[in-house]
Amino acid sequence: MAASNKFAAPGHWLRPVLHKEAIMQARGTSVIDKLFELEISGSDDSHRRRLVLEKSLSILEDIRYALVVEADNKAMAETINLSSNRRLLDALLDLISLEGIYPCLQSGVGVPVERRVKSIIQNGTAADTSNDQLLTLSNSHLLVDIVSRLCKLVTAEPIEFASMLQQRVLVDIVAAFAQIAYGPQSNDSPSVGSVSNFEKFIDSAPDWLKPPISRMLSLLPMRSDGVRQTISFISTSVPGAASHEIGEQGQATSTFEVLEHSSKLLSTVPSSVSADDYFASIAPQLLSILDDADKDSRRVAAYIVSRGILNGRVTGAPGTPGWKYLVEPLFQVIRPGMQQDTPSEHSQAITSQALRTALRRLSTILLSHPNPAVLKRVMARLVLPIWAIMGEARDTFEEFQLSSHLLQSFITEADTAAELIKIVDNIRWSGESQWAYKRDPSMRIEIVPLIDKRDIEDKVVLMKVVPMRASRFVDLLGSSAGNQDAVIVIFHVFRGWLGKSQAQAESIETDKTDLILRQTICTLVGLQLVNRQLSKISQHPSPIIDLIVEFLDYRVQHKGKNDRQKESSEVPMTELKTITASSEQANWSVEDEKDFREVVEVSLNVLKWLLPDSKIDSGSPPGDPLERVYFILLSLSREKTLSSSSEHELRNLISRLGTTLNEPSYPQTEATHLAC
């Protein structure tokens, strides 16, 4: 009987919005004004709205309490099911939803009013929800208060009363909780404190409701700033996660649990949308978070991209939507020639600022949480562009630090000499045929389109960058390559350096310019290697020693053959004109002589470094490698055009090897004669 009496007062209060006569008398007046007690003056619209909503919630709570204390269950059921009482309850719930919940929702959240169950309130419609200016902090607190109190009502005893409320307002509660948990409020928003209530509500929801709720929530990352809000929600719901701010909104952490949950959720494409649409929506958001000042936010986004999206074949392989929207935008900036057609007169340069931003994003993705497979897959397509930036930038600038770290990590992880050989063979590389990496007026690196082929720099001009790039290449070799890979690279460089004359003689190229340039580059790089990286060879000296012996042997034989031709019979006068005309193609010129002395000097310096502690490979016959070195040095000792320093080093090496070999069959007299 007490519960039945609780319906009398709300019936009288709701009369202005339920009965036609009262509605006609107050035509043109809002629902709030119709219900508001006019004797309370001096209140604005917002205050009146709060008072009306507070009274509606209090009435529902009083009715529930009265039903709980009702001793007679049969009487309680009759009270709830009485049609007039049901009408009053529905009116209270409609009033709370349409005047309390919906005005606090962001556009697109909740069921459209026209598709919602028709309101009991006469002429009752939701306040305008399309104006996002209503989403103030005050409204956020109001929404939290409403749904917190409603949630207790729809999940508490008595069951009959809670079930009746659920049928009317459950969908509105879900929409309100989603807005609170994911809405773009400021850090002062109560969204974090409402997450636990949201979780409890979802856990207590009936099984039929959970799948549609999951489908709705899976689409939330696609909203504006939805990725950040999703990370924020996860960071506050993972047990034991210590939160840190992520940018200016929400909170996130870099704990493993948060990283894993965020990655798994955001890398999974919702079943209701296509992968292309999904990644087209969330990829720009992830790239934007990579620019955040907060380190934790960048690390979370990087983990999602590298360990989640790009780590999967379906989402992260070249040609997939994840690759298309996350990697290709970076390629378009760092290597425009890969993604764009031939530039036109309207093509714009890639500014230094845009290039630095792309490098930062790429570095954060690949190096924050290293994923070897993703690192190699991405960097294999960017080796030369990153090298061009590293080779061109000033070492105090950010782009140099970013590019060098990327290359070092890639070379170390790739564990192959092929990429280093690719770099040294293209050490002058400064862009595709249509794009060039240059310094802008502030000395920063930009990428400019080459519309006219005359814009392409002359090869001789490009040679000016080689000394600095040679030094940086040797730095890269020393910091990232293992000893075995380093030996392979050094062997490659030495072959191009020490074998210049042989390569020229054997080359069938009609244009010798490129060949000469490549050999000059090998010389510059080789000199750097001799001065700074010979310690790398000490673990595997035999290949380099064999190479030096091979080229010294070739030089000695080639020069000896030329000397014997000079000592032959006099040339008839009739042939003098022909010989003079072909002097540029002579087998041995002044330049050859200079080159010969240079090769000998470098070879002796390298041998001096390697021979004292050389460990000959176990597969070689005893004494064979050293024996070859010894004999070629003896042959070289007969040359009379060596510099005094080279003769000194040669005597020392022959003496040391003769003592080491200690074989009477070796012609010691040659070394003794040279020493005298």
Side-chain angles (χ1 to χ4, degrees), residues 531-570:
N531 293 330
R532 299 166 53 191
Q533 292 295 333
L534 276 181
S535 59
K536 290 273 189 182
I537 312 174
S538 61
Q539 300 296 322
H540 305 277
S542 294
I544 302 299
I545 293 176
D546 291 342
L547 179 66
I548 291 174
V549 170
E550 175 187 345
F551 285 123
L552 284 178
D553 186 40
Y554 174 83
R555 294 300 184 91
V556 171
Q557 291 184 24
H558 189 55
K559 186 174 185 300
K561 181 179 179 181
N562 182 78
D563 291 342
R564 288 192 295 273
Q565 290 176 350
K566 288 182 179 180
E567 295 172 359
S568 61
S569 60
E570 292 185 2

Side-chain angles (χ1 to χ4, degrees), residues 322-379:
W323 180 276
K324 175 182 178 181
Y325 291 106
L326 285 166
V327 179
E328 289 186 5
L330 302 180
F331 282 2
Q332 290 170 3
V333 177
I334 298 173
R335 190 172 186 177
M338 177 186 294
Q339 302 293 327
Q340 301 184 23
D341 297 330
T342 302
S344 66
E345 59 183 7
H346 302 294
S347 298
Q348 299 293 320
I350 306 297
T351 65
S352 58
Q353 180 60 50
L355 183 59
R356 287 198 300 277
T357 299
L359 287 174
R360 285 192 214 105
R361 291 176 173 181
L362 183 66
S363 180
T364 304
I365 291 172
L366 299 182
L367 304 184
S368 293
H369 305 278
N371 184 332
V374 174
L375 175 66
K376 290 187 283 189
R377 188 187 312 146
V378 174
M379 282 298 298

Side-chain angles (χ1 to χ4, degrees), residues 79-100:
T79 300
I80 294 175
N81 292 322
L82 190 64
S83 59
S84 60
N85 292 344
R86 288 291 298 266
R87 179 179 172 82
L88 287 173
L89 291 174
D90 288 345
L92 288 170
L93 294 174
D94 288 348
L95 180 62
I96 293 169
S97 292
L98 299 179
E99 298 294 336

